[in-house]
Amino acid sequence: MVLSDLDQGQVGCVASLGDQTMSLALKRRLMALGFTKGSEVRMVRSAPLGGAVQLKVRGASLCLNNRLAAQIHVEV
């Protein structure tokens, strides 16, 4: 399952970031934001029409665009 598929209030644990095509710089940036393997992520809400998602990661509130959230794989 990918992060953008979580329902509002649902929690998942990060399993992997992107695929072979995701740049190393982007992976490092996501990891710096707290998206490391096993970290817990809660879906706070998602914008209508698939614009962006608001997430809670390690006590911080973050927003990602939906396309980027779809590249983060989570386990529920």
Side-chain angles (χ1 to χ4, degrees), residues 7-76:
D7 294 324
Q8 187 171 343
Q10 193 173 12
V11 177
C13 289
V14 175
S16 64
L17 298 176
D19 55 16
Q20 305 271 339
T21 61
M22 181 183 272
S23 71
L24 185 57
L26 181 55
K27 285 183 182 179
R28 285 183 178 162
R29 179 67 181 142
L30 288 171
M31 290 171 67
L33 290 172
F35 294 97
T36 56
K37 188 171 183 174
S39 64
E40 193 172 275
V41 180
R42 176 181 302 275
M43 174 67 75
V44 176
R45 62 183 160 188
S46 61
L49 305 175
V53 293
Q54 182 180 0
L55 308 162
K56 194 89 167 178
V57 181
R58 297 183 181 220
S61 184
L62 304 169
C63 289
L64 295 178
N65 70 37
N66 207 31
R67 190 177 55 187
L68 183 56
Q71 294 183 34
I72 300 172
H73 298 269
V74 294
E75 295 174 354
V76 178

